[in-house]
Amino acid sequence: MAKCEVCGKTPQFGHNVSHSNRKTNRQFRPNIQRIKVMENGRLVSKYVCTQCIKTMSKDAKAR
């Protein structure tokens, strides 16, 4: 579920780095939201990241 259906963005991995420079695993999760979108004349619910929602709203305003 943690995958954007528009751009395909998924969680990425990295490290937490403490003051003593110890590294422990961590995960960077995309901000996925559930929205309803008009697709082929009907409403469809999708899981989309916030960057894609912002881009989609820009495209709607340009029309």
Side-chain angles (χ1 to χ4, degrees), residues 5-6 32-49 52-54 56-57 60:
E5 294 180 17
V6 176
I32 303 290
Q33 306 290 321
R34 187 172 183 213
I35 63 167
K36 294 186 187 213
V37 182
M38 286 298 285
E39 194 171 273
N40 297 329
R42 61 191 189 118
L43 275 177
V44 179
S45 64
K46 289 190 170 198
Y47 290 98
V48 182
C49 67
C52 290
I53 294 172
K54 188 175 181 180
M56 289 162 62
S57 69

Side-chain angles (χ1 to χ4, degrees), residues 21-32:
N21 209 28
R22 290 178 62 111
K23 291 159 182 81
T24 56
N25 292 333
R26 65 158 295 177
Q27 197 174 22
F28 296 93
R29 295 185 184 95
N31 189 359
I32 303 290

Side-chain angles (χ1 to χ4, degrees), residues 1 4 53 55:
M1 184 179 101
C4 178
I53 294 172
T55 304

